[in-house]
């Protein structure tokens, strides 16, 4: 089964499904939804088989495939997955069916084509899988740019207030980042012997000056995509305007392309430049943690609030990456997965709450838990997971990042820890003002607020809650997959974990 072309099939399958769904008649919206859901479940099933087939402790890159594309340029359709890519592919496979199910009525609410909406979700899944599976730099760049298109239309055509402004801003920011990357990709091709193959490029010796410029080109593109401070301003607008399901994929998966790109391309291909730029990257990450958390505290729009929390969380991921320790690096990748689960759940639940109230403003709620107690309870759980409460999956990843960073850079770890305190403030403030306290009399006059979670919505949130709890207590199946890839990445950078002090060794031996 290891010879089966998992990655190419996983990439193409959603695209085929999108074509099928797009050509279904608009008069049969339910059929379009069912076909899209079934297709995404097929991708999930195949992803589970790939996960089971992956050999922990085997080759660094597995499921490798390569097909000629543009031979004169040295471009191939090359796919391969290490442990970092594999966990992200599984995250995509889990989230997309749940987003489709959660978005069952979103397209109808916008009064636009239902088949096109769900076809766009499948196209987005195709591009997300492709960008994480690509092992050719040019192929990665193509997927990196193309995935802007379906998200642009999801925001611009099916979004809420100021959707056109948010869609254009998202597209322009990402396009500018893509131009930086394109220049770096061309430069890498020139100095790398006119090849785009990742394995071949990782063996190339690049001069110090060229390496720093190439690193900067890739890093700026990834920092905009993540986003890191100060390239973050597009995310609150895009997250606030996008439909809840699209926002969950935007923050839960698309933005991870930035941090994944740093781990896959910036660190192994430009190791010396990565270490040279590391203090600046850490500074941006720490500023992002505190700055975004402070802005989140002051938000009155629920979706913008969740978007700002994500910027703060990406700061933790950045700290874990540039700490250059195995523990922090593993925590950063695990954070990418756990953040996708927790924030994906939070966005979906917030979307359910907004759909009932008809407003995203925190001030328009108050005491909603008295009317929709189950929905309020899930919102509270998602908020606690977002602030990394012990017993939830994000706590494990955040703890690994902080303790791994503390061994090499105590000031950064201490400052980053302040973000945890601020996270408690903005999450508890959000929950208290929306679902707790005195019931807002206006809510009793809204029919939507008299409906608690239905069966479909329970099916959406239940798997995410289960994964967050299970990985909060037993993350080993995921960390076992991530660890070898992170260790290999640290070796590429030329960094090793700090040896324990003499006092620590003596204490441990007692």
């Amino acid at each position: 089964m290891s010879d089966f072309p998992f990655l190419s099939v996983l990439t193409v399958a959603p695209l085929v499904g999108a074509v099928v769904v797009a050509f279904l008649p608009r008069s049969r919206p339910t059929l379009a939804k069912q076909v899209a859901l079934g297709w995404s479940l097929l991708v999930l099933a195949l992803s589970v088989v790939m996960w089971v087939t992956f050999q922990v402790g085997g080759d660094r890159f597995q499921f490798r495939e390569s097909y000629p594309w543009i031979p004169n340029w040295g471009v191939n359709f090359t796919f391969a997955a290490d442990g970092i890519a594999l966990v992200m592919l599984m995250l995509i496979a889990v989230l997309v069916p749940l987003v489709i199910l959660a978005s069952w009525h979103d397209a109808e609410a916008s009064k636009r084509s239902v088949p096109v909406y769900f076809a766009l979700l499948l196209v987005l899944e195709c591009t997300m899988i492709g960008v994480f599976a690509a092992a050719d730099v040019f192929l990665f760049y193509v997927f990196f740019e193309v995935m802007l298109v379906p998200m642009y239309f999801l925001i611009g055509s099916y979004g809420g207030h100021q959707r056109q402004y948010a869609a254009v801003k998202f597209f322009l920011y990402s396009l500018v980042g893509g131009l930086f990357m394109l220049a770096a990709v061309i430069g890498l091709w020139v100095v790398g012997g006119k090849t785009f193959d990742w394995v071949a490029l990782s063996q190339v010796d690049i001069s110090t000056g060229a390496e720093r410029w190439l690193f900067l080109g890739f890093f700026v593109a990834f920092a905009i995509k993540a986003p890191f401070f100060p390239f973050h301003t597009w995310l609150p607008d895009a997250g606030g305007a996008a439909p809840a399901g699209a926002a969950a994929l935007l923050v839960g998966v698309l933005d991870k392309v930035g941090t994944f790109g740093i781990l896959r391309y910036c660190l192994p291909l430009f190791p010396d430049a990565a270490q040279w730029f590391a203090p600046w990257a850490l500074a941006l990450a720490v500023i992002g943690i505190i700055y975004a958390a402070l802005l989140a505290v002051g938000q009155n729009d629920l979706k913008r609030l969740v978007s700002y929390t994500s910027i703060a969380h990406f700061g933790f991921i950045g700290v874990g990456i540039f700490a250059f320790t195995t523990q922090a690096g593993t925590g950063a990748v695990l954070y990418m997965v756990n953040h996708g689960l927790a924030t994906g759940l939070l966005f979906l639940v917030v979307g359910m709450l907004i759909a009932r109230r008809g407003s995203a403003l925190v001030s328009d709620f108050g005491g909603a838990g008295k009317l929709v107690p189950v929905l309020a309870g899930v919102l509270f759980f998602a908020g606690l997971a977002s602030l990394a409460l012990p017993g939830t999956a994000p706590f494990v990843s955040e703890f690994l990042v902080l303790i791994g960073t503390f061994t090499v850079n105590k000031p950064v770890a201490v400052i980053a820890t302040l973000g945890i305190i601020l996270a408690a403030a903005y999450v508890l403030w959000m929950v208290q003002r929306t679902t707790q306290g005195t019931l807002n009399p206006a809510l009793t006059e809204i029919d939507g607020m008299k409906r608690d979670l239905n069966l479909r919505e329970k099916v959406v949130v239940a798997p995410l809650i289960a994964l967050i709890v299970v990985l909060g207590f037993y993350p080993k199946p995921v960390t076992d997959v991530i660890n070898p890839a992170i260790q290999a990445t640290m070796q590429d950078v030329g960094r090793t974990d700090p040896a324990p002090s003499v006092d620590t060794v003596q204490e441990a031996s007692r």
Side-chain angles (χ1 to χ4, degrees):
M1 194 67 178
S2 60
D3 295 331
F4 183 82
F6 283 105
L7 297 175
S8 58
V9 172
L10 282 172
T11 303
V12 173
L15 186 60
V16 175
V19 174
V20 173
V21 172
F23 282 97
L24 291 174
R26 294 184 63 172
S27 59
R28 302 189 64 184
T30 302
L31 178 61
K33 301 172 188 177
Q34 292 170 342
V35 173
L37 178 61
W39 221 284
S40 65
L41 289 173
L42 178 64
V43 172
L44 173 59
L46 188 58
S47 299
V48 171
V49 175
M50 182 176 66
W51 177 277
V52 174
T53 307
F54 186 84
Q55 297 179 357
V56 176
D59 294 339
R60 178 178 182 179
F61 290 98
Q62 300 180 33
F63 313 118
R64 184 177 174 85
E65 308 169 46
S66 188
Y67 312 99
W69 184 13
I70 312 175
N72 291 337
W73 292 0
V75 179
N76 298 288
F77 281 103
T78 303
F79 298 100
D82 61 357
I84 302 171
L86 183 66
V87 296
M88 294 308 301
L89 292 171
M90 277 303 304
L91 176 64
I92 296 167
V94 169
L95 282 181
V96 171
L98 299 178
V99 165
I100 289 175
L101 201 55
S103 307
W104 211 247
H105 301 298
D106 285 1
E108 292 161 329
S110 67
K111 299 180 180 180
R112 293 180 179 268
S113 172
V114 173
V116 171
Y117 178 82
F118 288 96
L120 286 170
L121 287 177
L122 290 176
V123 173
L124 184 61
E125 182 177 27
C126 162
T127 58
M128 291 188 299
I129 291 173
V131 80
F132 288 110
D136 179 280
V137 177
F138 188 81
L139 181 63
F140 173 85
Y141 170 75
V142 170
F143 279 116
F144 183 87
E145 292 289 78
V146 172
M147 70 179 176
L148 303 179
V149 178
M151 184 54 73
Y152 170 81
F153 285 108
L154 284 168
I155 298 173
S157 298
Y158 296 90
H161 182 60
Q162 290 192 324
R163 60 179 181 269
Q164 293 293 342
Y165 169 78
V168 171
K169 188 173 183 179
F170 159 75
F171 195 86
L172 289 178
Y173 265 72
S174 299
L175 190 62
V176 169
L179 292 175
F180 276 94
M181 184 190 291
L182 178 60
V185 166
I186 295 172
L188 184 60
W189 181 76
V190 172
V191 303
K194 298 184 178 181
T195 180
F196 289 109
D197 183 73
W198 187 94
V199 175
L201 289 171
S202 65
Q203 309 299 321
V204 174
D205 186 18
I206 306 174
S207 66
T208 300
E211 183 177 336
R212 290 179 180 177
W213 281 111
L214 293 174
F215 173 92
L216 197 59
F218 277 95
F219 179 78
V220 170
F222 295 142
I224 292 174
K225 177 67 71 177
F228 290 146
F229 174 89
F231 310 106
H232 65 282
T233 59
W234 65 267
L235 181 57
D237 292 318
L249 291 178
L250 173 66
V251 175
V253 180
L254 258 73
D255 292 353
K256 307 300 191 311
V257 174
T259 49
F260 171 83
I262 293 172
L263 284 164
R264 171 63 64 83
Y265 296 96
C266 289
L267 268 58
L269 300 185
F270 318 113
D272 295 333
Q275 295 185 66
W276 192 82
F277 279 104
W280 298 98
L282 285 170
L284 293 180
V286 170
I287 292 172
I289 292 172
I290 306 302
Y291 178 73
L294 289 172
L295 288 179
V297 173
Q299 293 302 309
N300 191 40
D301 185 292
L302 282 169
K303 290 163 75 175
R304 288 179 66 88
L305 188 154
V306 178
S307 297
Y308 274 113
T309 68
S310 295
I311 297 170
H313 293 148
F314 278 108
F316 279 103
I317 297 172
V319 167
I321 291 172
F322 286 98
F324 295 131
T325 66
T326 303
Q327 203 169 35
T330 298
V333 177
L334 187 61
Y335 210 132
M336 290 161 61
V337 176
N338 293 337
H339 175 265
L341 297 174
T343 304
L345 175 62
L346 188 56
F347 251 120
L348 294 177
V349 174
V350 163
M352 295 172 189
L353 202 57
I354 292 171
R356 284 164 167 76
R357 176 63 177 88
S359 172
L361 298 181
V362 175
S363 55
D364 285 340
F365 289 88
K370 294 179 175 62
L371 300 176
V372 284
V374 179
L375 178 55
V378 177
L379 177 69
F380 184 51
F381 174 84
L384 294 180
S386 181
L387 65 81
L389 184 77
T392 63
F395 170 77
V396 180
S397 44
E398 198 165 276
F399 181 77
L400 286 174
V401 167
L402 291 174
I403 198 170
T405 304
F406 190 81
T407 59
V408 294
N409 198 324
K410 292 180 177 59
V412 168
V414 171
I415 297 173
T417 304
L418 296 177
I420 300 175
I421 301 171
L422 292 173
Y426 58 67
V427 167
L428 295 177
W429 175 85
M430 174 190 70
V431 171
Q432 193 275 331
R433 294 194 62 186
T434 54
T435 62
Q436 305 300 311
T438 304
L439 176 63
N440 182 351
L443 298 182
T444 60
E445 301 174 4
I446 301 172
D447 290 338
M449 292 303 301
K450 299 175 184 178
R451 294 181 289 105
D452 212 335
L453 289 184
N454 57 37
L455 179 60
R456 173 181 58 82
E457 292 168 329
K458 290 176 181 177
V459 172
V460 171
V461 302
L464 294 174
I465 292 173
L467 285 170
I468 290 169
V469 172
V470 170
L471 293 179
F473 285 93
Y474 190 64
K476 189 175 185 296
V478 179
T479 56
D480 283 350
V481 172
I482 296 171
N483 269 324
I486 288 296
Q487 290 170 357
T489 302
M490 292 301 106
Q491 290 175 2
D492 291 336
V493 181
R495 297 293 290 265
T496 58
D497 292 336
S501 65
V502 174
D503 293 339
T504 302
V505 173
Q506 291 175 347
E507 183 68 26
S509 64
R510 291 176 184 174

